[in-house]
């Protein structure tokens, strides 16, 4: 939705600050974080800026995207590559549904899906889309 202009990009700082506040509020010394993104750049930047007490996991995408999902580029891949990406996407959704706390955006279809089908504590970082 960002590439089509349907929503604004939420700066990585917003996510970092939300996780830091969560850690402070809960008093947890260590956090296990699952990072779902379709951007290799976000993974690299998040890991560089993460608190050393955070353990960060992610599933590497079968289709490499530096700046995130691009539908035209995705469509140019083979059927097998697209099927692998689809299975990867479903696996990530299932992981998020099991996470006790999720930071996402409700302007995202994925964020709303996880809110409706997943964890007990799903938090939106785009305030104009409160559910």
């Amino acid at each position: 939705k960002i590439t089509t202009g349907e929503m604004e990009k939420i700066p990585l700082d917003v996510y970092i600050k939300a996780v830091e506040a969560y850690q402070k509020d809960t008093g947890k010394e260590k956090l296990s974080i699952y990072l779902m993104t379709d951007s290799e750049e976000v993974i690299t930047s998040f890991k560089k800026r993460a608190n050393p007490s955070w353990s960060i996991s992610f599933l590497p995408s079968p289709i490499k995207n530096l700046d995130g999902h691009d539908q035209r580029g995705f469509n140019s891949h083979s059927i097998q590559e697209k099927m692998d990406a689809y299975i990867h996407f479903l696996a990530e959704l299932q992981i998020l549904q099991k996470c006790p706390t999720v930071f996402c955006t409700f302007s995202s279809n994925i964020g709303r899906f996880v809110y409706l089908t997943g964890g007990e504590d799903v938090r939106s970082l785009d305030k104009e889309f409160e559910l």
Side-chain angles (χ1 to χ4, degrees):
K1 288 190 170 193
I2 294 169
T3 58
T4 62
E6 291 179 61
M7 66 178 274
E8 295 288 320
K9 186 175 185 176
I10 307 292
L12 191 56
D13 279 341
V14 172
Y15 287 92
I16 297 285
K17 288 177 184 176
V19 175
E20 288 171 338
Y22 171 81
Q23 186 172 27
K24 183 179 177 186
D25 291 347
T26 61
K28 295 183 178 186
E29 290 183 30
K30 296 181 181 247
L31 292 179
S32 295
I33 296 172
Y34 181 78
L35 186 60
M36 180 182 180
T37 179
D38 50 14
S39 168
E40 291 179 36
E41 184 179 307
V42 168
I43 293 169
T44 301
S45 295
F46 192 91
K47 287 171 68 177
K48 281 181 186 174
R49 297 167 66 190
N51 183 305
S53 68
W54 302 351
S55 172
I56 301 167
S57 303
F58 60 93
L59 288 179
S61 177
I63 295 178
K64 302 299 178 205
N65 299 298
L66 289 179
D67 291 332
H69 179 79
D70 171 62
Q71 192 62 46
R72 191 174 304 159
F74 179 82
N75 292 345
S76 70
H77 288 276
S78 71
I79 296 292
Q80 185 59 55
E81 289 171 314
K82 290 188 275 191
M83 182 57 75
D84 290 345
Y86 176 65
I87 291 167
H88 172 267
F89 175 68
L90 292 177
E92 287 198 303
L93 285 178
Q94 190 168 29
I95 290 168
L96 283 184
Q97 288 173 318
K98 303 291 183 194
C99 290
T101 302
V102 175
F103 295 98
C104 62
T105 60
F106 289 162
S107 56
S108 161
N109 294 332
I110 295 165
R112 290 192 309 272
F113 178 81
V114 172
Y115 173 78
L116 293 170
T117 65
E120 55 218 46
D121 183 15
V122 181
R123 304 173 186 203
S124 177
L125 299 179
D126 54 349
K127 299 302 178 194
E128 67 271 9
F129 284 89
E130 295 296 328
L131 293 179

